[in-house]
Amino acid sequence: DTGVSQDPRHKITKRGQNVTFRCDPISEHNRLYWYRQTLGQGPEFLTYFQNEAQLEKSRLLSDRFSAERPKGSFSTLEIQRTEQGDSAMYLCASSLATRAYEQYFGPGTRLTVT
Amino acid sequence: AQSVAQPEDQVNVAEGNPLTVKCTYSVSGNPYLFWYVQYPNRGLQFLLKYITGDNLVKGSYGFEAEFNKSQTSFHLKKPSALVSDSALYFCAVRDRGNTGKLIFGQGTTLQVKP
């Protein structure tokens, strides 16, 4: 499969625990995006990378959230001290920088905080 | 700020009938507009985009969209709906600048009944 993959697909955690999600983009894509989608809403931008550099972060990304893309390939999104309001689908997308409008989305990680 | 609006939470149509899912936009400058589809527990799949050129854009699975600058609309259409078209549809606009960040509408659920 040469598409965007995300792991895990589902995560249930208790409030206060830390969670980490992984995204593997399409191999030749140098841009990687994270979005969050809550029930009944469209995806909202969280952050994006070009290669290993994190170039923009949304105000939605509180201090409890951190994202990395250490070698310019896969990316991780960590949420510390999870809250019930963090329950959402976390979507990853990738693109070429020269065609940034053509984003390919992964299947998402659904987080449930109990 | 760039934004899109999808005025209908749900659209119901009978199989074989034409369908329209509405989207209006508000942008500064020339819009880059997109339609994505999301099936249950799946990521977003790209349907089509308008960058420039013909106002009628053809996309995947027989869908098309009409860009109307005077009405600031980008409605999604299909001449003959299939039950398998039932899904959640999102309109999106590219944010200003070169980030490629997408701004999504809240989504419209399309229900096609046999």
Side-chain angles (χ1 to χ4, degrees):
Chain A
D1 187 351
T2 57
V4 179
S5 61
Q6 293 186 245
D7 184 69
R9 295 290 305 276
H10 303 275
K11 179 70 177 179
I12 300 174
T13 191
K14 292 184 178 181
R15 188 175 52 192
Q17 298 295 305
N18 299 343
V19 293
T20 300
F21 311 140
R22 177 179 170 125
C23 171
D24 287 89
I26 293 171
S27 58
E28 62 267 28
H29 285 181
N30 47 7
R31 282 205 180 172
L32 187 149
Y33 301 81
W34 285 100
Y35 293 83
R36 181 172 69 185
Q37 183 181 15
T38 53
L39 202 60
Q41 300 296 319
E44 296 173 292
F45 170 82
L46 291 178
T47 188
Y48 91 99
F49 294 82
Q50 181 156 320
N51 301 313
E52 66 275 9
Q54 187 174 18
L55 297 185
E56 184 173 333
K57 294 192 291 185
S58 163
R59 285 174 291 178
L60 293 175
L61 216 63
S62 75
D63 291 344
R64 297 183 296 106
F65 288 71
S66 62
E68 295 182 342
R69 194 182 183 199
K71 297 182 179 179
S73 57
F74 73 90
S75 176
T76 58
L77 178 67
E78 181 183 15
I79 309 174
Q80 296 183 328
R81 306 180 302 282
T82 52
E83 302 173 355
Q84 287 188 321
D86 298 331
S87 295
M89 175 80 89
Y90 290 84
L91 295 166
C92 176
S94 71
S95 75
L96 293 170
T98 52
R99 297 175 71 86
Y101 50 83
E102 286 191 11
Q103 295 181 23
Y104 295 82
F105 283 80
T109 294
R110 181 168 295 283
L111 173 67
T112 301
V113 182
T114 61
Chain B
Q2 318 286 74
S3 66
V4 290
Q6 294 178 244
E8 303 155 316
D9 289 337
Q10 182 157 328
V11 170
N12 297 310
V13 64
E15 187 175 30
N17 283 0
L19 69 87
T20 298
V21 183
K22 295 180 180 178
C23 173
T24 59
Y25 65 89
S26 175
V27 303
S28 53
N30 294 322
Y32 282 33
L33 295 161
F34 308 84
W35 277 101
Y36 284 84
V37 61
Q38 186 176 37
Y39 296 97
N41 298 314
R42 301 277 295 276
L44 276 69
Q45 295 180 34
F46 171 80
L47 282 178
L48 50 81
K49 67 179 183 290
Y50 172 83
I51 305 296
T52 187
D54 288 342
N55 290 341
L56 187 64
V57 179
K58 294 190 182 296
S60 305
Y61 312 121
F63 284 93
E64 57 189 27
E66 185 172 9
F67 173 70
N68 188 317
K69 188 172 183 178
S70 63
Q71 297 186 3
T72 62
S73 66
F74 188 57
H75 300 333
L76 181 70
K77 300 182 179 184
K78 188 173 182 181
S80 179
L82 300 172
V83 173
S84 58
D85 293 329
S86 299
L88 184 56
Y89 291 80
F90 290 99
C91 181
V93 65
R94 192 191 72 166
D95 198 15
R96 297 179 64 185
N98 193 34
T99 67
K101 178 171 63 177
L102 296 175
I103 298 168
F104 289 86
Q106 70 272 31
T108 298
T109 298
L110 174 65
Q111 186 73 38
V112 181
K113 298 188 177 179

